[in-house]
């Protein structure tokens, strides 16, 4: 807003999720993928149709990244460099799987019950001989399996053979492996990026803003505010005509 007024330049409001998608498409070359968007604040399965990114499934409570962050606090993992990264590294050393709530409801999923279960039982399981690594391994395998299930169902529904993973949790190599295996079994392919593009970054906002600006999008000063209720499927994607 300040730069727009200082330099008399137009503003373009950008949807955060759509920016992740467009950055992922740009970097990977994915043409028309089913999208798994996983981050600290969002969990959605998306596919494009008729100038909209349609949401086929999502979390009905907390986002996957929020679930992982809360679990890291429960077992007192460090925030350096990030809770999700530290869970991923611990999970690689896990040996014993602990059954956890697996909650998929149609195309949607739920993570709050898993967090509650871990909060209630983590100390007891550690006293019984399970390790923090076992807990991390069990959590990852459970929640990522849920994500793979709803993503595959969306791919089958729209007849897609390509899947793109975006958002901060998309950095997780184990999730990338599971998505890639599912896509391979369907005769398709998975498109993933590294942490330069998975996590929030200015380039994704600038790039998507440029796409919109070229199509005549603009935001007036008195309407230029942030909102957490700006949903993915509210954006008119007129820079795509496929």
């Amino acid at each position: 807003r300040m730069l727009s007024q200082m330099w008399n330049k137009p503003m373009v409001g950008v949807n955060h999720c759509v920016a992740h998608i467009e950055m992922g498409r740009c970097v990977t070359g994915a043409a028309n993928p089913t999208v798994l968007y996983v981050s600290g604040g969002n969990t959605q399965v998306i596919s494009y149709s008729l100038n909209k990114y349609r949401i086929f499934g999502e979390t009905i409570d907390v986002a996957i990244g929020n679930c992982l962050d809360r679990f890291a606090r429960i077992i007192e993992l460090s925030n350096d460099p990030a809770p999700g990264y530290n869970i991923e590294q611990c999970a690689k050393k896990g040996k014993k799987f602990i059954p956890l709530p697996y909650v998929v409801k149609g195309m949607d999923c739920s993570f709050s019950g898993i967090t509650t279960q871990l909060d209630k039982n983590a100390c007891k399981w550690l006293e019984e001989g399970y390790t923090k690594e076992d807990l991390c391994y069990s959590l990852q395998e459970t929640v990522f399996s849920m994500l793979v299930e709803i993503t595959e169902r969306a791919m089958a529904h729209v007849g897609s053979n390509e899947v793109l993973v975006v958002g901060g949790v998309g950095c997780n190599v184990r999730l990338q492996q599971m998505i890639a295996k599912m896509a391979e079994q369907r005769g398709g392919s998975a498109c993933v990026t590294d942490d330069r593009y998975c996590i929030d970054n200015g380039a994704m906002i600038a790039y998507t803003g440029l796409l919109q600006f070229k199509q005549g999008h603009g935001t007036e000063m008195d309407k230029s505010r942030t909102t957490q209720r700006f949903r993915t499927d509210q954006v008119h994607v007129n820079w795509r005509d496929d």
Side-chain angles (χ1 to χ4, degrees), residues 65-114:
N66 182 271
C67 171
L68 296 173
D69 290 350
R70 289 166 64 181
F71 171 67
R73 289 195 293 272
I74 290 171
I75 62 171
E76 299 181 342
L77 286 184
S78 171
N79 286 332
D80 184 22
Y85 175 82
N86 292 328
I87 290 173
E88 179 182 2
Q89 302 314 307
C90 281
K92 294 176 181 178
K93 303 173 185 176
K95 302 296 183 182
K96 294 183 283 187
F97 180 80
I98 304 169
L100 296 170
Y102 185 102
V103 186
V104 171
K105 300 182 178 183
M107 287 298 299
D108 298 325
C109 51
S110 169
F111 301 108
S112 61
I114 299 174

Side-chain angles (χ1 to χ4, degrees), residues 172-189:
N172 189 292
V173 175
R174 178 55 181 157
L175 175 59
Q176 294 178 0
Q177 291 172 342
M178 293 172 71
I179 287 289
K181 184 66 174 178
M182 176 272 288
E184 178 186 352
Q185 291 174 344
R186 294 182 54 80
S189 60

Side-chain angles (χ1 to χ4, degrees), residues 2 15 19 23 49 68 75 86 93 126 129 139 149 164 186 202 236:
M2 181 186 70
N15 179 280
M23 189 83 262
S49 176
L68 296 173
I75 62 171
N86 292 328
K93 303 173 185 176
L126 292 172
L139 175 62
E149 178 182 338
L164 171 66
R186 294 182 54 80
H236 182 53

